[in-house]
Amino acid sequence: MIFNPEYECMEPLARKKFQLAYLKNLAETLYEKVPFYRKKMDKLKIKAGNISCLADIEKFPFTTKDELRENYPFGLRACPKDRVVEYHMSSGTTGKPIVNEYTIKDINIWRECMSRTLSAAGCTNEDIVQNCYGYGLFTGGPGVHYGAMNIGAKVLPMSSGNTERQLMVMQDFGATMLTCTPSYALYITEAAAEAGIDLKKLPLNKGCFGAEPWSENMRREIEARYNMKAYDIYGLTEIIGPGVSYECEAQDGLHVNEDFFYPEIIDPETGKTLPDGEKGELVFTTLTREGTPLIRYRTRDITYLMREPCKCGRTTVRMHRLFGRTDDMLIIRGVNVFPSQIEQALIEIEGTEPQYLIVITRGESHMDEVELQVEVKKTYFTDETRGLEKLRSRIETAMKSKLQVNLKVKLVEPKTIERSIGKAKRVLDLRKI
């Protein structure tokens, strides 16, 4: 279902006209109201007057996550303080958190974006949405909540965790849509199996999953365990939260809400803008934000853009599902590898569970050593050792064939690897550098 055909299906040239107007206004606002940006723009001798077409955005500086942390908490505010009505922030696990300030207009933009997102996944006012994204300062829970209510759906504001209660509510309230991280969606299936609950018999028939990269094979695994349709959604706290882009029924890339967010793909090493279809780092400019607008924010996410017509009728540019993040990328013996690539290969191997951990250590030779711990089905640990060895050999062969790397594989019993109610931890770096 298309929530807002006027904008989601707008003729691309018409969309570009108001994107250009928004970009000029944004540049003026940042220069006048945010000293951080004024200093950067003065250094490059650029102003809003330098913008004559959308391509001129390349004249402007990038914004990085470190710069957002350096301006904690309110250094990037672009509106009067009394217009701010809500705050959200990142977890801050690797330093100062990133603060995002919202005006009423920003909240309404977010509500619109999430209404489009959930509608594209089939959500209507007849649905009961079990929202297992975290509430509070994290943007996941509130974003889904705003969008679902705007559609008229019923919301179960569960937040994350307390899986036993999640299952009780899922059954008793007849939830028809699930929203959470894909790794938590799988964890719920494990808990359901232990409790003797057949998820396929519940009314649950669709879900929106995001906040972490996940493979196409994991999508199929989730769909099979729930008997549902699983949709990918994308967002990040720095831009607005979930709802920056979303999958439609065609599931051929994620439609970007271009009337609010302008996407670019750059070479992560050189910063050079790349053409459509070429894989690189995703960069976003918030065209209409008031609280904390950003220009050319480097997301660190790796993808590419597609402008071919979509079967659904929407005309917005689409981004391919994430391949990973520049800061998640591992270099193993000179080969670039993303955890999601390992996941994609693993789920194709019969006998493995969709749970794994990449452990990195530094050996006596000062070379990085990588061990891939993989959960396998319980029957393999009650069978002959020969079966385990065959499976381990198959995994190592698959890694070499698909990723061009040699990995030491360790097979572990089910539920050995720690589960997460939020984003899954796939890499454990034990190097002392």
Side-chain angles (χ1 to χ4, degrees), residues 311-334:
K311 295 176 183 177
C312 73
R314 292 174 179 85
T315 58
T316 47
V317 67
R318 303 188 309 283
M319 51 181 272
H320 189 277
R321 297 182 74 200
L322 298 185
F323 294 96
R325 293 173 54 81
T326 57
D327 48 358
D328 283 345
M329 185 179 74
L330 306 172
I331 301 177
I332 302 174
R333 300 292 188 266

Side-chain angles (χ1 to χ4, degrees), residues 236-260:
L236 58 169
T237 299
E238 301 91 315
I239 301 303
I240 203 163
V244 175
S245 66
Y246 55 90
E247 279 188 326
C248 65
E249 63 269 23
Q251 295 188 320
D252 182 22
L254 287 80
H255 291 270
V256 178
N257 280 308
E258 281 190 278
D259 43 334
F260 301 120

Side-chain angles (χ1 to χ4, degrees), residues 332-348:
I332 302 174
R333 300 292 188 266
V335 179
N336 296 345
V337 177
F338 291 102
S340 57
Q341 292 176 293
I342 291 175
E343 173 189 295
Q344 180 86 2
L346 276 177
I347 295 181
E348 293 178 358

Side-chain angles (χ1 to χ4, degrees), residues 2-3 19 59 66 71 73 112 129 133 165 186 204 231 240 254 308 316 377 396 416 427:
I2 299 177
F3 181 78
Q19 283 180 320
K59 298 176 181 178
D66 286 342
N71 282 277
E112 169 72 18
V129 180
Y133 283 113
R165 191 180 186 202
L186 284 176
L204 208 59
Y231 293 86
I240 203 163
L254 287 80
E308 300 83 4
T316 47
K377 296 189 182 301
E396 290 177 345
T416 302
V427 179

Side-chain angles (χ1 to χ4, degrees), residues 408-426:
K408 178 183 177 183
V409 175
K410 179 181 179 181
L411 304 182
V412 299
E413 295 188 52
K415 298 184 176 57
T416 302
I417 295 172
E418 184 180 357
R419 303 301 195 261
S420 172
I421 62 174
K423 297 182 182 182
K425 184 174 182 179
R426 298 302 191 190

Side-chain angles (χ1 to χ4, degrees), residues 118 121-132 135 144-145 147-149 151-158 166 168-180 202-208 228:
L118 296 172
C123 184
T124 71
N125 59 3
E126 297 294 321
D127 278 295
I128 300 174
V129 180
Q130 184 150 339
N131 186 12
C132 306
Y135 278 71
V144 171
H145 197 111
M149 287 183 66
I151 292 170
K154 293 67 155 167
V155 187
L156 292 166
M158 300 297 294
Q166 299 273 10
M168 179 189 76
V169 171
M170 191 178 289
Q171 296 175 91
D172 295 345
F173 284 72
T176 58
M177 186 175 201
L178 177 66
T179 60
C180 60
L202 302 184
L204 208 59
N205 56 41
K206 52 188 167 287
C208 281
M228 67 154 59

